[in-house]
């Protein structure tokens, strides 16, 4: 491309162009000021020539033509180095002004880098950069080491009103007020002058002027003199379309008034003036000068000899140098002449010539160590190379060289370096080397912060436009420059840069930087008083969990402060703090299901339903019921929207999480709801659907919330403080007060008293606990949408005195209280209990009874009313009597019996069904769900061992092991009862009383169980009828308590449950007995946490099988003590053995009597044969004093073993075989012969038995088929009769 | 720093993992189990590739990465290289291992309880096999995606004990 | 001395960035590291600049800022390691060695099954290892 058209080219064309020094008289300016212009301003628009077609001939002989040309006009007074301070000020206000304009588009958010890239550089860059750079370069004009600012022509202007214009001309150009450049000899004072006579047509007709002119011609010569007539229009109403002066009048107050009095021919006259000023005077004089200088130079310096001479000469004057910046060169010195030559050539576009001279001079300056001049020349060389558009290497080398020289070797050369840098940058940009340009910008960004800020910003844009774009550096430099702007409080610029930086870091995880940027932008906005914007940015930094605690506090503090300033306190905005865990959202509401306690809500819905199944009418019918009742249009809606009731709260659990390390206080956290009349339902749907879009809807609902009359629903208001990093569940409720459609839109809270944030549920998806039985696919909106129906009665229920800790076996008397708050009454109460084993529904008359005395046996026989009617089926529904109706202020209380059956944690579910009385109500029925969880501590373990007595068939020995499992309580064993008509139980020795059962102790006692002979079948009902002797009182006699009647209602009912739960042992089917052990807690202030109440503990042991391991039992009967005269004969004793087959199969028996002395063996063997008998249980089974027998037997055995011959033998059949029908007895005779007196054990026989089962029932693995039992010890004492 | 682990351990671990995912966690939905196993493999491959590409110049193109998988990566894991690498030059590569270590000790004939037609025994075995193959597939996918090559990997055991992994690079 | 080391994930997300200066210039260092990514991209995208060390993991001196030198290292898995130092003369061998050890530490860190790929590295052991490596670097370059 043509370098002249590059930005740099254009810049050079108007920066490096001939200067015309202007000297005027005050009257001239006065005349011009009529047009609101100074003389120069009036001319300057016409000093730019786009095609001034002038032939130029410089050193070379063939001429070329200049097209573009420009003159720079300066008053002589302005031709001097501008004062640094002043220029600084000017730059500063340039920037500030730019900042003012910036403030207009502050609020629109920063553009993204890529769309910045899409747009052209010129429109992205702030427009004032160019201007700023130009000003920056201006600061260096008229420096003495460069010649292109030296005036080429001097223009003296005198008004025709001046008297003696001739003399005026003369003393205008007196040297003492000429600029220093000319005076101190930096440039040639002999300057080509041009005289101009300015005539104001308003003052006088032009003839006067021409008269002057003619007389002056003689003195100054014709062509050096010009006349310019202006202000030809009488009335100052000339309108210039595209007024040419506006551009040159920087502070244009009224642009249209510029040049009012200059009509067309005035303008043309000015044009002509400047035209031939350029073509006839400036250019020719320059040509001529160039030619002259060129000859001189080539004479002195061209050619080999001159070179050598030059070198020698310079060597010679080496030492005479002052080190500062080389020698001072006067205009006459060759060096400055060459420089002038170069510059003129450059201005005349003869770049070759210029370059050659620059080359020539630069070496000299280098040798002279005239660094400033050297750098200047290098600079020009670079530019010239550029304009010549070849060898960019050279160009850049020169620029860099100049740049570094300025920086290093030139004192206070920073200004020059800056200009050089700017040119260099333009050069690089022209060649798309943006990255390098950026680094140059970075270098010229000096310590002076405002300046550097601008440079850094420009650098950042260079990074943006470098290929590929280096966005991160772009961002970084923006931030840097923003910092600098801030330093010299150009806040608006700072904000602009930072905002653009934000767009770079947006979406990255470089949170540290992001926070910094947002935070500062926020602060600066606040500084400017734009608090809304500040808040917006502060919102970004709130979620700074990664920051240090102090930083978090700082951020939060600032945020709150700004918010207050912004007056946003009441306004709702989308707060990121705290985090709301949407998935944890739980909605709990009561439609036809009501809950007695929060615990009940926690229970799984399916569980409830399984309980409710037989309580409530089957669903489809139910629905049709309450839909038919309703009017049609709603019924459709009803199906997919939840139903809630006026005056009953809907609870929403929201989980707040605080990610910060500081605790944040939340106040009035509440739900956002809206309640619509049914009529505008359609509109509701529309709104809710639209509400799925987010936050502008937030505000929408917010204000909707505001104008909702609070009467339509009531919101709960919760305050809480989130500790650092904690998560808290907040329970919020809304209570509708009118019928309609209720939408729960979201939740709002007030952060630390000032900011109100809100969160929209509808945009999130979540699970919901209290979901109705319906299609599980339901849109989320429906989940938070409720059909509010008019108020219904609702039962509140609780169970009085239900402890949460009890001891196993405790039997308590509770009352269920149902109260109805509303006017309407409820009826048809039904109740279902999950564990009838634990909780039992009493009868109305139980309500008043005094427990436990009510359970005591009445002495008089009337027990009819309290006879337990068996309850059918363990888990069935209890129907309250139909006449019961629960009304307001008439609460219903109903007795319950609680029996802690087994230790452990028990959850009791109770479902209470009731129907609403007024038929046209929306729901026919409701259910009340009660849930109790209580802990049952182990208290008493009782186990029974029953074994048939060897001696008698109808008696059984019962061993009761009672152990206390708690270490805290003592128990008084009160009574033991055996259920079943055919049983009666008694203590073995009636004197024995079990002690107070101390904690963690155990005792054993033996009882006798007797089957009373009444031939009654053992069917359930009769088994429960009490019989005399069914109970044994175990407590010491002295306390006055009488026995308890276990056949009374609660006990018997619980006993039935126990029977059902304690499954029958498969063995010993029919012949079982149930025991109930009743004991009392002895009141003790023990820390067991179990509330003491004078209650009973009943332990039920059911299905204790009486049948011993062997189905066969027998008894040997006969005399115990015999007097016999052995002198006569041996004694023959006949015994009778009664065998009983307790099994339900035919048994084949054989009884072997053994004479050999093997009893010991057999005994030991027996334990092996019968593994089921533990601890040799019935070996010690004698009717009376156990301890005695054992050692007696021991002696006997010893005696037996010691004796060699046995004085006793079995006689009669040694083996008897027989068949025995199920549960039948048979007697067989036995005979024994005794030879000498003594006490003998007749246990040395064996009963072998074998059962023949019917084919079908083949559970052999449980029942023994056959076995061998050793004989029981039977002691007979024979005394010699004298 | 080459820490090693006994091969038997690795194999039993693999077997245990597969069985517990297939029979315990997702017994009823095998495709879920497969996905989980593949995910485990993915993570393993992801990390292994991080380790095994240390000290080596960056790969210029996909082929180089695949070669790396075939040579060094494979021999780091299996002490042998891939035997045969095929590609249609449109982003599909077939890596064949003639004796894939993790299958080599697997019984191919039908498991005993399938007394019926040996056919269903066969595909039962194949089913079990394929379950064991999700893990290596995941490894390959993880490694490649960590190298910046998103792809889909499938395995083919049509002729055992040779096993070929098909890598389809997502364009 | 080493001023700052950083691990940057393949989406140019910071995985680990640790400065070893008393001064509070964390922000500045973040910026430096962040900018260095530009250079890394440049190096990788037009390899002609990186010249001889074509697609070598070690990227060498990325750019000298006014008072830092920034070195880079790019793994096969597009994870960048950045080293910011104030030493004026750093032996290339030292830097390579440093990066090798750093990489090893990183690999061990991410091999932890509980580390989520692409998330910040919070392992304390990793931090300790890195600091020891950094110290070692100081010593070796001093000697």
């Amino acid at each position: 491309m043509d370098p002249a058209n590059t930005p740099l080219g254009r810049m050079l064309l108007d920066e490096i162009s001939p200067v015309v020094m202007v000297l005027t008289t005050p009257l001239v300016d006065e005349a011009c000021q009529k047009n609101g212009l100074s003389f120069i301003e009036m001319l300057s628009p016409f000093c730019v020539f786009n095609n001034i077609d002038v032939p130029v001939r410089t050193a070379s002989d063939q001429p070329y033509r200049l097209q573009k040309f420009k003159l720079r006009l300066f008053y002589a007074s302005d031709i001097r180095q501008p004062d640094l301070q002043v220029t600084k000020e000017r730059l500063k206000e340039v920037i500030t002004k730019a900042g003012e304009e910036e403030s207009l588009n502050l609020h629109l958010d920063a553009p993204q880098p890529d769309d910045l890239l899409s747009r052209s550089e010129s429109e992205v860059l702030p427009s004032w950069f160019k201007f700023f750079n130009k000003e920056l370069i201006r600061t260096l004009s008229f420096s003495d080491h460069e010649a292109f600012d030296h005036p080429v022509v001097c223009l003296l202007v005198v008004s025709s009103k001046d008297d003696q214009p001739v003399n005026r001309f003369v003393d205008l150009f007196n040297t003492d007020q000429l600029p220093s450049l000319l005076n101190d000899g930096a440039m040639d004072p002999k300057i080509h002058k041009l005289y101009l006579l300015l005539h104001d047509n308003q003052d006088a007709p032009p003839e006067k002027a021409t008269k002057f002119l003619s007389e002056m011609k003689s003195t100054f010569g014709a062509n050096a003199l010009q006349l310019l007539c202006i202000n030809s229009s009488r009335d100052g109403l000339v309108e210039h379309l595209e007024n040419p002066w506006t551009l040159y009048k920087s502070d244009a107050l009224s642009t249209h008034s510029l040049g009012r009095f200059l009509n067309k021919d005035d303008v043309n006259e000015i044009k002509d003036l400047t035209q031939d000023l350029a073509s006839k005077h400036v250019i020719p004089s320059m040509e001529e000068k160039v030619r002259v200088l060129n000859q001189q130079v080539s004479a002195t310096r061209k050619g080999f000899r001159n070179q050598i001479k030059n070198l020698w000469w310079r060597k010679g004057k080496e030492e005479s140098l002052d080190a500062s910046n080389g020698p001072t060169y006067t205009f006459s010195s060759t060096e400055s002449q060459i420089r002038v030559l170069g510059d003129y050539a450059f201005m005349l576009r003869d770049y070759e010539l210029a370059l050659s001279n620059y080359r020539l001079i630069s070496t000299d300056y280098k040798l002279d160590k005239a660094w400033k001049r050297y750098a200047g020349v290098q600079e020009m060389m670079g530019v010239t190379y550029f304009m010549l558009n070849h060898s960019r290497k050279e160009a850049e080398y020169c620029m860099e060289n100049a740049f570094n020289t300025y920086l290093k070797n030139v004192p206070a050369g920073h200004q020059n370096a800056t200009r050089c840098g700017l040119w260099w940058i333009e050069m690089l940009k022209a060649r798309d080397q943006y990255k390098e340009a950026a680094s140059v910008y970075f270098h010229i960004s000096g310590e002076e912060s405002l300046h550097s800020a601008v440079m850094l910003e420009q650098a950042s844009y260079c990074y943006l436009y470098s290929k590929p774009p280096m966005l991160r550096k772009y961002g970084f430099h923006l931030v840097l420059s923003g910092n600098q702007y801030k330093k010299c409080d150009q806040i608006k610029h700072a904000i602009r840069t930072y905002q653009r930086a934000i767009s770079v870091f947006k979406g990255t995880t470089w949170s540290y930087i992001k926070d910094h940027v947002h935070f500062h932008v926020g602060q600066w906005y606040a500084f400017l008083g734009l608090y809304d914007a500040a808040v917006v940015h502060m919102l970004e930094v709130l979620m700074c969990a990664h920051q240090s605690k102090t930083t978090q506090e700082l951020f939060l503090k600032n945020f709150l402060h700004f918010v207050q300033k912004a007056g946003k306190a009441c306004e709702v905005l989308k707060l990121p703090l705290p985090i709301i865990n949407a998935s944890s959202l739980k909605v709990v509401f009561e439609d036809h299901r009501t809950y007695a306690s929060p615990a009940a809500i926690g229970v799984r819905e399916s569980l409830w339903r399984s309980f409710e199944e037989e309580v409530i009418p089957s669903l489809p019918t139910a629905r049709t019921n309450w839909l038919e009742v309703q009017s049609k249009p709603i019924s459709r809606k009803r199906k997919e929207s939840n139903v809630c009731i006026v005056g009953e709260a809907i609870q929403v659990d929201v989980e707040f999480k605080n990610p910060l390390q500081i605790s944040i206080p939340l106040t009035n956290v509440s739900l956002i709801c809206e309640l619509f009349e049914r009529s505008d339902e359609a509109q509701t749907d529309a709104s809710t659907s639209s509400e799925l879009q987010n936050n502008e809807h937030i505000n929408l609902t917010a204000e909707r919330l505001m104008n909702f009359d609070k009467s339509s629903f009531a919101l709960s208001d919760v305050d809480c403080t989130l500790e650092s990093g904690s998560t808290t569940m907040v329970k919020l409720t809304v209570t509708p007060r009118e019928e309609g459609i209720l939408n729960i839109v979201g939740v709002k809270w007030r952060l630390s008293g000032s900011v109100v944030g809100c969160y929209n549920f509808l945009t999130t998806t979540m699970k919901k606990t209290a979901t109705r039985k319906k299609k599980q696919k339901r849109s989320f909106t429906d989940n938070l949408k409720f059909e509010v129906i008019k108020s219904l009665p609702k039962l509140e229920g609780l169970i009085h005195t239900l402890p949460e800790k009890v001891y196993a076996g405790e039997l308590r008397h509770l009352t269920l209280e149902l109260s109805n708050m509303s006017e309407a009454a409820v009826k048809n109460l039904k109740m279902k209990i999950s564990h009838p084993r634990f909780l039992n529904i009493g009868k109305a008359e139980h309500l008043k009874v005094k427990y436990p005395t009510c359970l005591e046996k009445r002495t008089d026989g009337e027990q009819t009313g309290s006879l337990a009617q068996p309850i059918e089926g363990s888990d069935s529904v209890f129907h309250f009597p139909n006449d019961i109706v629960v009304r307001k202020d008439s609460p219903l209380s109903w007795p319950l019996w609680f029996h802690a059956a087994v230790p452990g944690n028990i959850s009791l579910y109770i479902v209470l069904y009731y129907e609403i009385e007024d038929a046209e109500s929306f729901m026919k029925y409701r259910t009340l769900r009660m849930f109790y969880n209580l802990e049952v501590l182990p208290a008493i373990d009782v186990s029974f061992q029953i074994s048939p007595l060897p001696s008698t068939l109808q008696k059984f020995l019962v061993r009761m092991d009672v152990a206390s499992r708690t270490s805290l309580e003592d128990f008084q064993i009160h009574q033991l009862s055996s259920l079943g008509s055919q049983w009666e139980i008694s203590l073995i020795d009636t004197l024995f009383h079990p002690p107070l059962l101390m904690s963690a102790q155990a005792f054993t006692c033996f009882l006798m169980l007797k089957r009373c002979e009444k031939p009654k079948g053992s069917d359930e009902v009769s088994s429960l009828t009490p019989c005399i002797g069914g109970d044994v009182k175990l407590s010491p006699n002295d306390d006055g308590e009488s026995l308890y009647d276990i056949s009374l209602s609660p006990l018997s009912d619980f006993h039935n449950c126990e029977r059902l739960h304690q499954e029958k042992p498969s063995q010993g089917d029919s012949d079982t007995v149930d025991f109930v052990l009743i004991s009392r807690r002895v009141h003790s202030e023990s820390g067991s946490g179990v509330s003491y109440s004078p209650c009973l503990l009943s332990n039920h042991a059911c299905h204790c099988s009486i049948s011993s391991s062997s189905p066969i039992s027998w008894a040997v009967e006969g005399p115990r003590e015999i007097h016999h005269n052995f002198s006569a004969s041996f004694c023959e004793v006949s015994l009778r053995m009664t065998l009983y087959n307790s099994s339900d199969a035919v048994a084949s028996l054989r009884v072997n009597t053994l004479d050999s002395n093997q009893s010991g063996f057999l005994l030991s063997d027996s334990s092996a044969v019968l593994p089921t008998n533990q601890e040799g249980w019935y070996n010690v089974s004698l009717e009376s004093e156990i301890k005695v027998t054992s050692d007696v037997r021991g002696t006997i055995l010893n005696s037996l073993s010691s004796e060699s011959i046995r004085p006793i033998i079995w006689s009669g059949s040694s083996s008897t075989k027989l068949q025995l029908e199920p549960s039948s007895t048979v007697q067989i005779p036995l005979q024994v012969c005794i030879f000498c007196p003594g006490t003998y054990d007749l246990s040395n026989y064996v009963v072998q038995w074998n059962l023949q089962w019917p084919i079908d029932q083949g559970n052999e693995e449980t029942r023994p088929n056959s076995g061998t039992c050793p004989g029981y010890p039977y002691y007979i004492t024979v005394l010699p009769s004298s | 720093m080459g820490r090693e682990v006994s091969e038997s351990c690795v194999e039993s671990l693999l077997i245990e993992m597969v069985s517990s995912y297939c029979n315990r966690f997702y017994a009823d939905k095998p495709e879920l189990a497969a996905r989980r196993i593949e995910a485990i493999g993915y993570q393993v491959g992801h990390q292994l590739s991080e380790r095994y590409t240390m000290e080596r110049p960056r790969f210029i193109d996909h082929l180089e990465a695949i070669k790396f998988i075939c040579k060094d990566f494979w021999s780091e894991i299996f002490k042998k290289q891939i035997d045969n690498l095929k590609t249609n030059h449109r982003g599909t590569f077939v890596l064949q291992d003639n004796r894939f270590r993790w299958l080599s000790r697997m019984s191919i004939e039908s498991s005993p309880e399938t007394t019926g037609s040996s056919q269903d025994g066969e595909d039962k075995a194949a089913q079990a096999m394929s379950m064991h193959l999700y893990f290596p597939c995941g490894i390959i996918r993880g490694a490649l995606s960590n190298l910046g090559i998103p792809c889909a990997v499938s395995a083919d055991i049509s002729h055992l004990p040779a096993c070929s992994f098909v890598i389809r690079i997502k364009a | 001395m080493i001023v700052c080391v950083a691990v940057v994930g393949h989406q140019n997300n910071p995985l680990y960035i640790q400065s070893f200066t008393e001064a509070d210039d964390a922000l500045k260092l973040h910026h430096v590291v962040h900018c260095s990514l530009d250079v890394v991209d440049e190096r990788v995208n037009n390899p002609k600049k990186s010249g001889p060390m074509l697609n070598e993991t070690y990227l060498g001196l990325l750019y000298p800022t006014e008072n830092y030198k920034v070195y880079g290292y790019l793994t096969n898995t597009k994870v960048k390691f950045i080293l910011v130092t104030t030493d004026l003369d750093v032996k290339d061998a030292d830097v390579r060695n440093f990066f090798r050890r750093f990489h090893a530490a990183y690999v061990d860190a991410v091999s932890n099954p509980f580390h989520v790929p692409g998330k910040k590295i919070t392992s304390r052991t990793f931090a300790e290892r890195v600091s020891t490596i950094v110290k070692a670097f100081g010593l070796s370059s001093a000697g």
Side-chain angles (χ1 to χ4, degrees), chain A residues 435 472-473 476 505 509-510, chain C residues 12 14 34-35 38 41-42:
Chain A
K435 198 146 64 69
R472 303 183 185 85
K473 291 202 169 196
F476 182 37
F505 297 107
T509 52
W510 291 83
Chain C
N12 291 333
H34 189 242
C35 289
D38 269 334
D41 290 352
E42 190 183 25

Side-chain angles (χ1 to χ4, degrees), chain A residues 494-595:
Chain A
I495 290 178
R496 184 188 70 247
T497 51
Y498 264 48
Q499 268 185 332
R500 293 201 165 179
I502 286 174
S503 65
V504 174
F505 297 107
K506 179 172 288 165
T508 65
T509 52
W510 291 83
S511 43
Y512 205 92
I513 301 176
K514 256 173 19 191
D515 289 350
H516 164 264
V517 174
H518 279 295
F519 177 62
H520 283 81
V521 174
Q523 276 191 321
W524 295 336
Y525 269 127
F527 181 83
L528 294 181
L530 306 166
Y531 288 103
D532 303 12
V535 167
V536 169
H537 282 283
M538 291 311 288
L539 275 174
E540 297 288 329
V541 300
L542 275 186
M543 302 302 298
C544 50
H546 52 279
Q547 294 280 18
S548 71
K549 190 164 185 297
T550 51
T551 326
Q552 293 177 0
E553 278 161 348
L554 174 68
F555 285 176
L556 193 56
K557 197 170 100 285
N558 277 286
F559 171 69
L560 296 174
H561 175 228
F562 294 162
V563 167
Q564 276 164 353
K565 280 296 189 50
K568 265 198 173 18
C570 66
E571 207 157 319
V572 182
L573 43 85
K574 233 174 155 46
L575 264 186
L577 201 69
I579 301 172
I580 290 178
N581 181 358
S583 62
S584 75
L585 207 57
K586 280 175 38 172
V587 178
V588 178
F589 63 96
E590 297 181 331
D591 42 13
H592 66 274
R593 306 152 298 176
T594 64
Y595 299 91

Side-chain angles (χ1 to χ4, degrees), chain A residues 343-581:
Chain A
D343 285 346
Y344 277 25
F346 187 90
M347 289 190 276
L348 293 177
R349 315 277 200 287
D350 187 350
Y351 297 120
E352 299 293 349
L353 180 59
L355 186 57
S356 63
N357 287 290
Y358 287 140
R359 281 228 198 78
L360 194 58
I361 193 67
S362 69
T363 47
D364 300 353
Y365 282 145
K366 192 167 190 181
L367 285 171
D368 298 355
K369 301 201 168 41
W371 295 122
K372 189 170 182 183
R373 293 164 177 274
Y374 170 71
V377 173
Q378 284 289 326
E379 195 176 353
M380 287 312 293
M381 278 172 72
V383 174
T384 324
Y385 274 122
F386 177 79
M387 296 308 279
L388 281 171
N389 199 13
H390 55 64
S391 79
R392 63 174 53 177
K393 272 265 154 302
E394 280 297 319
E396 282 164 25
Y397 169 78
C398 292
M399 294 313 277
E400 186 171 8
N401 191 0
F403 185 74
N404 294 332
T405 322
Y406 273 132
L407 280 183
K408 289 199 195 63
N409 307 355
V410 179
H414 190 267
Q415 294 283 334
N416 307 68
T418 309
R419 185 190 67 184
C420 172
L422 288 175
W423 282 351
W424 186 12
I425 287 162
E426 286 307 322
M427 192 181 295
L428 291 167
K429 277 186 182 171
R431 292 161 177 173
D432 282 337
Q433 293 169 305
Y434 280 93
K435 198 146 64 69
E436 293 74 1
S439 58
V440 176
Y441 269 128
F442 191 81
H443 281 105
I444 62 179
S445 72
E447 66 292 335
E448 196 271 303
S449 65
L450 179 56
H451 174 210
S452 70
V454 183
M455 289 307 153
L456 284 170
E457 189 175 1
Q458 302 195 45
S460 71
Y461 292 116
C462 286
Y463 279 121
L464 177 63
Y465 283 103
S466 62
K467 311 252 173 313
M470 306 179 95
L471 291 180
R472 303 183 185 85
K473 291 202 169 196
Y474 164 65
F476 182 37
H477 286 78
L478 279 174
V479 171
L480 286 178
S481 76
N483 256 325
Q484 298 290 348
Y485 277 129
K486 176 69 181 59
K487 277 197 195 127
C488 45
D489 42 25
Q490 296 283 349
I491 302 293
K492 285 168 178 161
H493 290 291
I495 290 178
R496 184 188 70 247
T497 51
Y498 264 48
Q499 268 185 332
R500 293 201 165 179
I502 286 174
S503 65
V504 174
F505 297 107
K506 179 172 288 165
T508 65
T509 52
W510 291 83
S511 43
Y512 205 92
I513 301 176
K514 256 173 19 191
D515 289 350
H516 164 264
V517 174
H518 279 295
F519 177 62
H520 283 81
V521 174
Q523 276 191 321
W524 295 336
Y525 269 127
F527 181 83
L528 294 181
L530 306 166
Y531 288 103
D532 303 12
V535 167
V536 169
H537 282 283
M538 291 311 288
L539 275 174
E540 297 288 329
V541 300
L542 275 186
M543 302 302 298
C544 50
H546 52 279
Q547 294 280 18
S548 71
K549 190 164 185 297
T550 51
T551 326
Q552 293 177 0
E553 278 161 348
L554 174 68
F555 285 176
L556 193 56
K557 197 170 100 285
N558 277 286
F559 171 69
L560 296 174
H561 175 228
F562 294 162
V563 167
Q564 276 164 353
K565 280 296 189 50
K568 265 198 173 18
C570 66
E571 207 157 319
V572 182
L573 43 85
K574 233 174 155 46
L575 264 186
L577 201 69
I579 301 172
I580 290 178
N581 181 358

Side-chain angles (χ1 to χ4, degrees), chain B residues 1 3 43 46-60 64 146-148, chain C residues 44 55-57 59 74-78 100 103-104 106-108 110-113 115 117:
Chain B
M1 87 146 277
R3 263 173 287 164
Q43 189 181 357
H46 203 272
Q47 292 167 344
L48 284 183
S49 67
E50 194 69 63
R51 183 179 297 286
Y52 294 150
T53 52
M54 282 174 71
E55 315 287 329
R56 68 164 52 244
R58 290 191 303 280
F59 305 127
I60 309 171
E64 252 189 59
N146 196 17
L147 296 177
Chain C
V44 175
N55 63 51
E56 187 190 356
T57 50
L59 297 177
L74 175 62
T75 71
N76 251 308
T77 59
K78 304 292 176 292
R100 192 175 301 112
H103 191 182
Y106 167 76
V107 166
D108 291 351
V110 295
S111 297
N112 170 0
H115 167 74

Side-chain angles (χ1 to χ4, degrees), chain C residues 14-33:
Chain C
L15 296 181
Y16 176 83
I17 177 161
Q18 179 62 49
S19 63
F20 296 94
T21 53
E22 302 71 32
D24 173 27
D25 50 5
L27 178 66
K28 185 175 183 182
L29 290 171
H30 271 72
H31 271 300
V32 169
V33 172

